[in-house]
Amino acid sequence: MMDYDRIMSRNVKTLQPSGIRKFFDILDTMKDAISLGIGEPDFVTPWHIREAGVYSLEQGFTKYTSNAGLIRLREAVSGYLKRRFDIGYDPADIFITVGGSEAIDLCVRALIDPGDEVIIPVPSFVCYGPLVTMANGVPVYVETKAENEFKLTAQELRAAITPKTKLLVLPYPNNPTGGIMERRDLEDIASVLEGTDIMVLSDEIYAELTYGQKHVSPCNIPALYDRTMLVNGFSKAYAMTGWRLGYVCGPRAIMKQMLKIHQYGIMSAPTTSQYAAIEALRNGDADIETMRESYNKRRRLLLKGLRDMGLECFEPRGAFYMFPRIGDFGLTSDEFCTRFLQEERVAIIPGTAFGQGGEGYTRICYASSVENIETALERLRAFLERLRS
Amino acid sequence: MNEILKLLEEDSRYTAKEIAAMTGKDEEYVRDTVKRCEDEHIINGYTALIDWDRTSEEAVTAFIEVKITPQRDDGYDRIARRIYQYDEVESLYLMSGSFDFSVIVTGKSLREVSRFVSEKLAPIEGVISTATHFIMKRYKDKHRAFLVEPEQEERTLFI
């Protein structure tokens, strides 16, 4: 008998398995259950974008692209970033990845040596810590607070920096809290980082989904531009999650190292997806507005519903999640969500899935139909009544 | 106002309460606006989009091109009125191009619709000619596709 447990990488074994898997396992067995769990757009990719992918197949574009991606796509990304966010990157400083996730992995791997520390604000998307661990780095989690609108403050950052700090992750607009960083917040971050060699990994996958104000990137702050790796992609802005396409931009010297990892591990991002993405960037601005407006209506609906039943909830300013406080019912987040699923057949995610600071909260994704949101609210109301009585 | 109308056009079953929450307006404002739009015939009714092909109901729809001679004084409107008063007429549009009216007519059978055209529509004074096209399959109406696409397979995902 092989002793697999002895063979496998110790590093990988330390990674936490998916903490919410059990929710989906339970969900699968239920009738008329509603999931507000999975975080992805509920739209199908706009037809003109799908059609561009299909057309590329008709033309026989089925080979690898350059490792860095199609030059026309990189030019389109460059134009898009300038047009939508006033961010300047030469096409040569951009390359195309398999989703934003690969781009995050590459940034971490290109920068981290064993023992280097990476500061990660939490609650946040689940991938940063494990990717740092796999690169033999050390994740340093910083808990952001509801009273600070889940922003990373200068004070919190300063307290987390050590001589080993190599990288700061800025996951904004934030999944799961809906928090954003505004210009002055980023300027505060810039002044803390001034004089250090700390790089910034800015995960801006939700940049197009902000409500009430335009997204500001660290790249818009002159003092941060040279130390920022910008990660973005097509999944959230154009409802293209399954196409697995993202990109990264940054200082050329670092990009050169990252491209090596990409070329050995991935070769090139999916060709069909790249052709579709060119169409998205060229003619997709109106789709972004339509979808954002639709999310915004549902955001208002859910926020009002949650507050009407007496839940404390930070008004999310980006992404498509709400992060209400549910910590005052004598249940942990995990117990709350498990019971809510079992008793009312609605899947939402415990805040603890997104790291420290998530206890006492739950993430509700409002990229779901108005009908689902209404039903979920009704069921939540009934559930809270029982908990309160 | 337009924001409210767009929501109602998307789903006329939305309640004033839901619309208020989605638009950030108060409920009374929504109710008043809807009432005013109804009074001013901006909203002309609420209806369901039904795919009759999925029922046992026999129904055919025809799209009819109609050429006419406009009447003095009333132009097109008088003949239009004489056409759209028939219950069989689902929609009527004045068109630019090689014909004048586009008339959408529904009936129980080809024969019923043909009879409507030959006995009611064509004889109307001022109607010069008609060309009837029967609708064979309805793919999309009012932005709703009638074909049901298969669901993507169930997923277990950690995101």
Side-chain angles (χ1 to χ4, degrees):
Chain A
M1 274 292 268
M2 298 281 284
D3 182 1
Y4 297 118
D5 206 51
R6 203 174 53 84
I7 299 165
M8 290 180 296
S9 150
R10 279 189 295 279
N11 211 0
V12 172
K13 281 198 292 182
T14 63
L15 298 181
Q16 287 297 311
S18 126
I20 57 176
R21 186 171 188 126
K22 67 172 184 184
F23 285 86
F24 294 103
D25 290 344
I26 301 171
L27 194 66
D28 281 348
T29 66
M30 283 182 168
K31 276 197 185 129
D32 74 14
I34 292 175
S35 174
L36 301 181
I38 291 182
E40 73 175 332
D42 63 335
F43 294 99
V44 177
T45 309
W47 171 242
H48 67 104
I49 298 172
R50 282 185 277 157
E51 203 277 337
V54 171
Y55 186 53
S56 77
L57 291 173
E58 282 178 9
Q59 289 172 296
F61 297 153
T62 57
K63 298 189 168 136
Y64 298 125
T65 67
S66 300
N67 295 124
L70 294 166
I71 183 64
R72 283 201 294 141
L73 176 55
R74 287 183 284 144
E75 283 165 0
V77 170
S78 171
Y80 162 88
L81 289 173
K82 190 74 206 163
R83 181 175 83 243
R84 307 276 303 179
F85 302 109
D86 196 26
I87 297 172
Y89 278 109
D90 191 87
D93 300 324
I94 297 169
F95 78 80
I96 309 300
T97 57
V98 179
S101 312
E102 188 212 343
I104 295 164
D105 187 28
L106 296 182
C107 288
V108 170
R109 288 208 266 169
L111 290 167
I112 299 306
D113 280 319
D116 284 348
E117 292 178 357
V118 179
I119 297 175
I120 303 168
V122 283
S124 61
F125 182 51
V126 294
C127 78
Y128 311 114
L131 292 178
V132 169
T133 303
M134 282 194 280
N136 297 305
V138 180
V140 175
Y141 296 107
V142 178
E143 275 182 47
T144 59
K145 305 277 188 309
E147 64 257 35
N148 298 327
E149 304 182 327
F150 295 107
K151 291 170 174 178
L152 175 67
T153 66
Q155 203 179 358
E156 290 161 344
L157 174 60
R158 203 173 291 120
I161 292 176
T162 75
K164 290 181 178 168
T165 306
K166 181 67 89 51
L167 181 64
L168 163 66
V169 179
L170 283 180
Y172 294 96
N174 184 268
N175 167 13
T177 65
I180 62 168
M181 292 287 273
E182 289 168 276
R183 184 174 292 273
R184 60 174 183 278
D185 307 318
L186 292 170
E187 281 164 357
D188 290 348
I189 298 296
S191 55
V192 176
L193 296 183
E194 201 185 331
T196 72
D197 286 335
I198 299 169
M199 290 292 294
V200 171
L201 162 51
S202 184
D203 180 355
E204 305 184 20
I205 195 73
Y206 293 100
E208 288 286 7
L209 300 179
T210 59
Y211 310 100
Q213 63 284 302
K214 262 191 89 72
H215 170 70
V216 183
S217 164
C219 301
N220 296 124
I221 312 298
L224 289 176
Y225 182 86
D226 284 340
R227 61 170 84 236
T228 299
M229 308 297 303
L230 166 66
V231 169
N232 204 333
F234 299 86
S235 295
K236 306 307 192 308
Y238 300 100
M240 291 178 73
T241 49
W243 299 77
R244 308 308 309 123
L245 208 66
Y247 52 89
V248 55
C249 323
R252 202 165 295 184
I254 301 174
M255 298 285 287
K256 229 168 120 182
Q257 302 306 316
M258 285 166 56
L259 191 59
K260 287 194 291 188
I261 312 174
H262 174 78
Q263 87 194 22
Y264 293 126
I266 297 290
M267 199 79 83
S268 64
T271 303
T272 313
S273 303
Q274 293 192 49
Y275 280 99
I278 294 173
E279 170 64 22
L281 294 173
R282 285 188 181 160
N283 298 311
D285 287 9
D287 302 306
I288 294 174
E289 319 296 342
T290 306
M291 291 191 266
R292 177 175 46 212
E293 197 37 56
S294 171
Y295 294 134
N296 197 14
K297 280 171 196 153
R298 293 177 269 172
R299 183 182 72 104
R300 292 192 194 115
L301 180 71
L302 181 61
L303 184 65
K304 183 163 189 307
L306 293 174
R307 286 182 173 172
D308 281 353
M309 59 184 92
L311 287 179
E312 205 177 293
C313 187
F314 163 68
E315 178 175 349
R317 301 168 71 186
F320 39 52
Y321 309 101
M322 224 154 275
F323 206 57
R325 189 167 161 70
I326 42 90
D328 307 318
F329 298 97
L331 300 174
T332 65
S333 306
D334 196 81
E335 287 164 351
F336 184 97
C337 295
T338 307
R339 277 188 55 186
F340 185 41
L341 177 59
Q342 279 164 344
E343 295 172 26
E344 295 288 342
R345 306 179 314 285
V346 179
I348 55 177
I349 308 299
T352 42
F354 304 96
Q356 301 157 4
E359 185 52 78
Y361 294 90
T362 176
R363 186 191 80 173
I364 306 178
C365 174
Y366 55 83
S368 187
S369 70
V370 170
E371 200 183 339
N372 277 352
I373 292 171
E374 288 274 320
T375 311
L377 281 170
E378 263 167 46
R379 294 179 184 181
L380 184 58
R381 202 172 293 124
F383 183 62
L384 293 187
E385 261 167 40
R386 280 207 305 284
L387 290 182
R388 279 170 176 146
S389 64
Chain B
M1 178 180 88
N2 288 2
E3 210 182 355
I4 296 172
L5 291 176
K6 277 181 192 152
L7 278 169
L8 281 175
E9 195 173 55
E10 181 183 296
D11 187 342
S12 59
R13 290 177 311 171
Y14 285 152
T15 63
K17 194 175 167 203
E18 288 167 342
I19 294 173
M22 284 190 274
T23 55
K25 304 272 193 302
D26 65 61
E27 217 174 306
E28 200 181 316
Y29 172 82
V30 173
R31 242 185 272 284
D32 289 349
T33 306
V34 171
K35 176 77 173 56
R36 188 166 52 81
C37 289
E38 287 168 349
D39 291 346
E40 293 174 9
H41 295 282
I42 294 167
I43 295 174
N44 289 285
Y46 304 88
T47 177
L49 277 177
I50 294 164
D51 185 357
W52 288 108
D53 290 349
R54 291 176 189 274
T55 71
S56 57
E57 184 80 12
E58 290 294 326
V60 290
T61 304
F63 159 77
I64 306 162
E65 299 172 4
V66 181
K67 287 186 189 166
I68 64 156
T69 320
Q71 307 281 293
R72 205 177 44 182
D73 302 333
D74 287 320
Y76 293 99
D77 292 354
R78 184 155 171 221
I79 300 183
R81 204 176 288 118
R82 294 178 69 179
I83 296 174
Y84 72 62
Q85 305 273 3
Y86 287 106
D87 286 341
E88 292 89 334
V89 175
E90 184 183 304
S91 316
L92 173 61
Y93 310 100
L94 177 62
M95 311 293 289
S96 65
S98 62
F99 58 96
D100 302 299
F101 286 135
S102 154
V103 188
I104 307 215
V105 170
T106 52
K108 282 193 171 15
S109 61
L110 292 184
R111 183 184 300 177
E112 192 179 294
V113 172
S114 308
R115 189 176 292 150
F116 172 78
V117 175
S118 60
E119 293 177 8
K120 306 222 166 107
L121 185 57
I124 291 173
E125 196 188 335
V127 169
I128 301 167
S129 71
T130 63
T132 304
H133 309 273
F134 284 101
I135 288 171
M136 294 165 67
K137 190 167 183 179
R138 199 181 297 256
Y139 288 100
K140 189 176 181 183
D141 226 341
K142 293 272 176 199
H143 299 283
R144 299 296 163 97
F146 281 21
L147 288 180
V148 180
E149 302 296 347
E151 294 266 331
Q152 210 177 313
E153 68 171 39
E154 286 292 319
R155 302 167 299 169
T156 304
L157 262 183
F158 184 41
I159 49 172

